[in-house]
Amino acid sequence: MAVELETLETEIESLEAETLRAVAEATTLDALRSVESRVTGRNGTLGSRLQSIKDYPPAQRGQVGQLLNHAKMRFAKIFADAADRIRASEAANEAHRASSFDPTLPGVRPALGSLHPVTHVQWQVEDVFQRLGFIIETGPEMETEYYNFEALNIPALHPARDMQDTFWLNNGMLLRTHTSPVQVRAMQRHGPPLRVLAPGRCFRYETVDASHENTFHQVEGLMIDRHISIANLIAMMKLLLREVFGRDVRVRLRPGYFPFVEPGFELDMNCAICDGTGCATCKQSGWLEILPCGMVHPNVLRYGKIDPNEYTGFAFGLGLTRLAMMKFGIGDIRVLNRGDVRAIVSPERLTGPTIKSVD
Ligand code: FA5
C-alpha cells in the first residue's frame, strides 16, 4: 500500500531506531538474522515497502524509490556492522576459553592398583631363592592321591591323611591340600642334585576363621644334594625370613610330625599382629605356625627315584598367606580372599609391622 512521502520518512526513522535497539540486543548471528529478516526480508517492514514502489504514481516513484533504497543501504550497513561485532565477540570468547586451559598444569593421576599382598611376598620369596640357584616349579591344583599322599609316605588309611581335610573330586582326584606333591614330581622330572621352589594354591575342607582359609597359598622348597644337613635348612629359613621382613625375625623351632620328613620341625614366628602378647590371629599363643620343615624322608627320595644313601635333602612348606598377613599386619586371613583389597594395601601398611629382632 502506498503511503504519503512524509509518513514514509517518519516510518523509516522509527524503524531505524527500533532496528538499532534490536540489533544491539542480538548476541548471536542467528538472532541477528531473525531481526534482519523481520526488517529487510521480502515480507519485512522495509522489504514490503520496497515492493510497493511500483504502486506510487510515476511522478512520486523516483523520490520514494530513492528514499527507500537509501534506507535499504543504511540498514544493510547496520546489519553488516552488527554481524562483524558478533563474530569478533565470539572469537574473543573462544580465545578466552582456549586460554583458560593450561596444558602445563599437572594432571590428575588415576588411582593405580598394586600387587595383592600374597603375590607381593610370593615374588619376594621367589627372588630370594632364585638368587640361591632354585628353579620355580608349579604342580597341578587338581592332584592325584598318589602325589598328594602316597608318594609323600602317607599310605591309604594312614592317620596323617586326616591332618589335612581334603576336597575329593568325583573323578577320584583331589584338590591338593599342600604344595608338597611338587616334591616327588620335581625329583622324577629333574633328578638330583635339585633346588626347587614351588609356590601355589592349596585347598582344605576346614572351618574358616581369622587364620584359616579353605583356599590359601603355600610355597614349597626342596633342596637335594650330597651332604645337606639340618644346619643348611635352618640357615636358609632364617635367610628367607630376614629377606622378607628386612630384619631378623624372632622364631622358634620345635619338633613337628610330617610323614615325609625325618626329623621334622615346626618353625613358628613371633606374631606380628599382637607383637607376641596374644590375639585372635595367633590364638592367644603369641606365635604363628608359618614354616613347617624337615629333612626329606628316605622313602620319599625313593619315590622320587633318588638313592637316599647317596643324597640327602631338606624341604619346607611355607604358609605364604600367613606370611603376607604378618608382613602387612593383616589380622584376618579372610580379607585376602575378598577381592577388594583397598584397605590392606594402604601405604602405612606397606611399611610392614614392627618385628622384634632375634639376638
Ligand atoms: C603342610 O602342608 C606340609 N606340606 C608342610 C611341609 C612341607 C612340612 C615340607 C615339611 C616339609 P601344614 O599343614 O602345617 O603342613 O601347612 C603348612 C603351612 O600352611 C602352615 O604352617 C600354615 O602357615 C599354612 N596353612 C595350613 N593350613 C592353612 C589354612 N587353612 N589357611 C591358611 N594357611 C594354612
Side-chain angles (χ1 to χ4, degrees):
M1 184 189 62
V3 291
E4 289 300 316
L5 197 59
E6 253 176 54
T7 317
L8 190 61
E9 275 173 351
T10 323
E11 198 179 81
I12 289 171
E13 260 172 43
S14 68
L15 179 65
E16 199 165 342
E18 190 190 310
T19 302
L20 283 169
R21 258 197 314 278
V23 160
E25 280 167 19
T27 52
T28 64
L29 288 175
D30 279 349
L32 182 68
R33 266 179 218 119
S34 99
V35 178
E36 192 174 4
S37 104
R38 273 205 319 272
V39 179
T40 53
R42 241 186 110 68
N43 300 317
T45 319
L46 185 69
S48 45
R49 287 281 174 253
L50 282 158
Q51 309 284 327
S52 68
I53 295 176
K54 60 181 179 331
D55 302 332
Y56 284 86
Q60 277 187 0
R61 237 177 254 168
Q63 249 182 318
V64 170
Q66 197 179 35
L67 177 72
L68 286 171
N69 277 310
H70 280 153
K72 185 182 166 188
M73 283 188 296
R74 281 200 311 282
F75 277 98
K77 182 157 176 7
I78 290 171
F79 290 120
D81 288 351
D84 286 350
R85 171 186 52 82
I86 291 171
R87 273 193 213 99
S89 136
E90 280 179 354
N93 283 347
E94 184 52 41
H96 176 71
R97 260 199 300 279
S99 72
S100 65
F101 173 72
D102 181 353
T104 63
L105 281 178
V108 180
R109 193 179 286 279
L112 291 179
S114 61
L115 286 181
H116 189 282
V118 173
T119 310
H120 179 94
V121 288
Q122 178 181 324
W123 287 7
Q124 220 175 354
V125 172
E126 286 178 5
D127 186 53
V128 175
F129 281 90
Q130 277 179 312
R131 275 187 271 135
L132 296 169
F134 281 66
I135 55 165
I136 310 287
E137 290 270 307
T138 50
E141 291 179 343
M142 184 172 73
E143 190 49 282
T144 61
E145 202 176 338
Y146 175 79
Y147 283 110
N148 199 80
F149 292 124
E150 207 93 4
L152 289 169
N153 204 28
I154 316 175
L157 305 179
H158 192 286
R161 290 207 176 194
D162 298 335
M163 286 164 65
Q164 302 174 359
D165 286 320
T166 309
F167 286 111
W168 291 96
L169 303 176
N170 289 338
N171 62 3
M173 295 175 81
L174 51 86
L175 292 181
R176 69 174 176 193
T177 55
H178 50 174
T179 43
S180 297
V182 184
Q183 285 188 31
V184 171
R185 285 183 177 276
M187 288 181 209
Q188 292 176 346
R189 182 185 296 179
H190 302 288
L194 192 59
R195 293 177 196 197
V196 170
L197 193 78
R201 279 198 305 179
C202 307
F203 310 87
R204 290 191 198 174
Y205 180 56
E206 61 180 316
T207 311
V208 171
D209 62 24
S211 56
H212 293 82
E213 255 292 0
N214 48 34
T215 304
F216 57 97
H217 285 73
Q218 286 187 348
V219 58
E220 195 80 6
L222 175 71
M223 180 170 183
I224 294 173
D225 209 330
R226 295 185 173 90
H227 317 302
I228 297 291
S229 72
I230 296 173
N232 299 126
L233 165 62
I234 293 173
M236 291 269 194
M237 300 302 92
K238 283 188 134 181
L239 171 73
L240 161 65
L241 293 175
R242 192 166 58 237
E243 290 278 329
V244 168
F245 289 96
R247 64 176 87 177
D248 284 340
V249 174
R250 190 186 290 270
V251 296
R252 73 176 184 189
L253 198 64
R254 57 191 168 87
Y257 173 68
F258 302 93
F260 35 98
V261 285
E262 181 56 38
F265 306 104
E266 284 284 4
L267 192 141
D268 302 336
M269 70 172 277
N270 198 231
C271 178
I273 305 296
C274 61
D275 215 12
T277 55
C279 65
T281 311
C282 62
K283 298 220 171 74
Q284 312 304 330
S285 72
W287 295 95
L288 210 75
E289 219 181 89
I290 198 150
L291 230 170
C293 52
M295 301 303 291
V296 181
H297 195 287
N299 287 349
V300 176
L301 290 172
R302 284 188 198 99
Y303 276 112
K305 310 240 178 313
I306 294 176
D307 182 357
N309 296 315
E310 197 180 345
Y311 289 98
T312 51
F314 67 74
F316 62 88
L318 170 68
L320 207 51
T321 309
R322 287 203 192 149
L323 186 68
M325 291 169 71
M326 291 296 104
K327 183 170 164 84
F328 296 113
I330 299 162
D332 194 319
I333 197 170
R334 288 165 285 201
V335 300
L336 287 164
N337 279 2
R338 253 180 222 157
D340 182 355
V341 291
R342 277 176 297 185
I344 55 181
V345 292
S346 59
E348 68 273 17
R349 291 193 178 196
L350 283 173
T351 60
T354 313
I355 307 288
K356 280 189 181 167
S357 59
V358 194
D359 302 323

